[in-house]
């Protein structure tokens, strides 16, 4: 990626999709996880993705999905990637890639340097690793909670796959996050919301501007 890639995740309305595209987002994320306030059904994803130009990636975010769930999402023909955000093993990620023929991203929950080291097991099994903050034990959601981890853990890390940074990013800290980690992709969700699951058009635009200036 020659320029910083920006993923706006958890989109659910035409106006916020349009705002993200106009602001220069490289990827849009659609959460398909019923416990999430950002959940959208497969047909909603199809409709929203139809508003997106071909050069912008369209990523469905799932957590420990059954094959039937993945099949329904892939059948929309709306996606450019599937993001696994649960406890999927490298073997499961590779199997999803092989069976469905869609690029696979894997979110890696990070609390310590050991979590980053463990991500090496996914190299070759997925197309992109997304380093996110580890949620508290027993949390209802695997991500999207506005939590961040110690970004200095990524300094000098040897990562054997394309990767991105997620977790607790906001308009005010994305430039610092990129400066510390040299992340080629940043992923924001709650950081551009006015309330859980409610994206704010002005915040989306401001985040993209702050990221591009980083």
């Amino acid at each position: 990626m020659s320029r910083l890639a920006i993923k706006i995740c958890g989109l659910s309305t035409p106006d916020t999709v349009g705002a993200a595209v106009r602001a220069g987002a490289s990827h849009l994320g659609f959460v398909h996880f019923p416990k999430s306030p950002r959940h959208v059904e497969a047909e909603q994803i199809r409709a929203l993705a139809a508003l997106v130009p071909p050069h912008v990636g369209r990523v469905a975010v799932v957590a420990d999905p059954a094959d039937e769930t993945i099949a329904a999402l892939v059948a929309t023909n709306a996606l450019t990637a599937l993001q696994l955000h649960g406890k999927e093993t490298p073997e499961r990620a590779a199997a999803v890639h092989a069976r469905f023929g869609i690029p696979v991203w894997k979110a890696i929950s990070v609390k310590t340097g050991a979590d980053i080291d463990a991500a090496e097991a996914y190299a070759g099994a997925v197309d992109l690793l997304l380093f996110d903050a580890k949620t508290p034990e027993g949390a209802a959601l695997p991500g999207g909670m506005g939590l961040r981890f110690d970004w200095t853990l990524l300094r000098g890390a040897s990562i054997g796959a394309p990767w991105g940074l997620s977790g607790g990013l906001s308009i005010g800290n994305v430039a610092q996050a990129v400066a510390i980690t040299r992340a080629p992709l940043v992923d924001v969700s709650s950081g551009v919301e006015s309330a859980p699951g409610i994206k704010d058009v002005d915040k989306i635009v401001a985040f993209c501007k702050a990221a591009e200036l980083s």
Side-chain angles (χ1 to χ4, degrees):
M1 302 176 187
S2 58
R3 59 182 283 269
L4 181 67
I6 302 169
K7 175 168 168 270
I8 307 295
C9 197
L11 295 165
S12 60
T13 63
D15 62 326
T16 54
V17 165
V21 170
R22 291 190 299 274
S26 59
H27 298 79
L28 308 186
F30 305 102
V31 176
H32 187 72
F33 185 66
K35 292 181 180 180
S36 172
R38 304 167 185 92
H39 173 71
V40 286
E41 295 291 348
E43 283 307 309
Q44 288 176 275
I45 294 174
R46 188 202 300 269
L48 292 169
L51 307 174
V52 182
H55 70 276
V56 177
R58 301 166 303 282
V59 185
V61 181
V62 291
D64 301 302
D67 280 0
E68 293 79 5
T69 298
I70 299 173
L73 291 168
V74 172
T76 65
N77 294 315
L79 304 175
T80 60
L82 186 75
Q83 179 179 319
L84 302 176
H85 212 106
K87 297 181 179 179
E88 301 87 1
T89 64
E91 293 75 19
R92 172 60 172 158
V96 168
H97 193 293
R99 175 169 181 178
F100 295 99
I102 187 170
V104 172
W105 295 15
K106 178 68 182 88
I108 304 296
S109 297
V110 178
K111 186 173 183 179
T112 70
D115 297 318
I116 294 171
D117 294 340
E120 187 176 344
Y122 290 89
V126 301
D127 298 272
L128 185 138
L129 296 168
L130 187 63
F131 294 103
D132 196 3
K134 185 169 288 187
T135 55
E137 196 68 34
L141 301 177
M145 298 178 69
L147 303 175
R148 56 172 281 188
F149 63 93
D150 180 1
W151 295 325
T152 64
L153 294 173
L154 284 167
R155 275 185 179 156
S158 179
I159 301 168
W163 64 281
L165 178 66
S166 186
L169 293 175
S170 68
I171 298 161
N173 69 21
V174 65
Q176 178 192 24
V178 174
I180 291 171
T181 65
R182 300 299 179 194
L185 177 147
V186 290
D187 183 338
V188 67
S189 183
S190 61
V192 291
E193 291 181 342
S194 56
I198 308 300
K199 290 291 182 289
D200 184 297
V201 167
D202 292 337
K203 288 184 177 181
I204 290 172
V205 173
F207 180 88
C208 290
K209 286 182 178 177
E212 288 171 351
L213 291 172
S214 62

